[in-house]
Amino acid sequence: MSATVVVEDAASADDIAAVQIGLRDFNVRVIGDPDEVPVTIFLRDEAGALVGGLLGHIKWRWLFVSKLWIGGSHRGKGHGLELMNAAEDFARSKNCIGSYLDTFEYQARPFYEKIGYAVFGTLEDYPPSNRQFFLSKRF
């Protein structure tokens, strides 16, 4: 039976889910269940308004920090470190062995290196004329 490659601009949710489920099932058979846990940590002001946060997930005993954001007037006050420490503490409580993330060269690479992360990869010209760095830290 033959198959045809088709580029689809508006893929159905069912087709996208089928690919995700197919890959997840294959991975689970080969390396085990990822035991995925979402990580959502927020920074709120006195009124309860959201002024920053960290988003990520834990899979296969590694924390992935996908987003770290601090609102303008709250930057430079140590909140980034507080959010990272909270995420790492949570990951350690889940028996994680490390953390990884990515950042663009105009963002926070020095901050991450200061708290123990090391570059393990660089993607040149992403976006064009810039670089994306991939960093990790073992606990």
Side-chain angles (χ1 to χ4, degrees):
M1 188 149 126
S2 67
T4 303
V5 173
V6 179
V7 177
E8 297 183 15
D9 292 335
S12 74
D14 287 343
D15 287 347
I16 291 168
V19 170
Q20 292 169 330
I21 291 167
L23 180 59
R24 184 182 192 289
D25 289 349
F26 173 77
N27 287 342
V28 167
R29 283 194 309 274
V30 175
I31 56 178
D33 193 303
D35 296 320
E36 186 166 2
V37 175
V39 177
T40 53
I41 303 169
F42 301 112
L43 178 65
R44 296 188 183 277
D45 69 11
E46 304 81 28
L50 186 70
V51 295
L54 182 149
L55 305 176
H57 63 259
I58 293 170
K59 287 167 100 172
W60 292 292
R61 296 182 52 213
W62 277 86
L63 166 65
F64 174 62
V65 177
S66 62
K67 306 283 185 244
L68 175 62
W69 165 75
I70 309 292
S73 65
H74 295 278
R75 290 184 182 168
K77 298 179 180 176
H79 298 306
L81 180 59
E82 291 175 315
L83 288 166
M84 289 298 294
N85 285 340
E88 290 177 8
D89 288 347
F90 179 72
R92 284 184 187 93
S93 79
K94 298 294 185 187
N95 202 30
C96 286
I97 57 177
S99 174
Y100 69 107
L101 52 87
D102 61 83
T103 189
F104 293 115
E105 70 180 315
Y106 64 87
Q107 290 178 321
R109 177 181 168 186
F111 165 73
Y112 294 122
E113 289 175 326
K114 184 177 177 181
I115 63 172
Y117 286 75
V119 173
F120 69 86
T122 305
L123 182 57
E124 298 289 340
D125 288 321
Y126 185 77
S129 299
N130 288 276
R131 293 179 289 178
Q132 183 178 24
F133 298 104
F134 300 86
L135 298 97
S136 66
K137 174 182 181 178
R138 285 182 90 66
F139 299 149

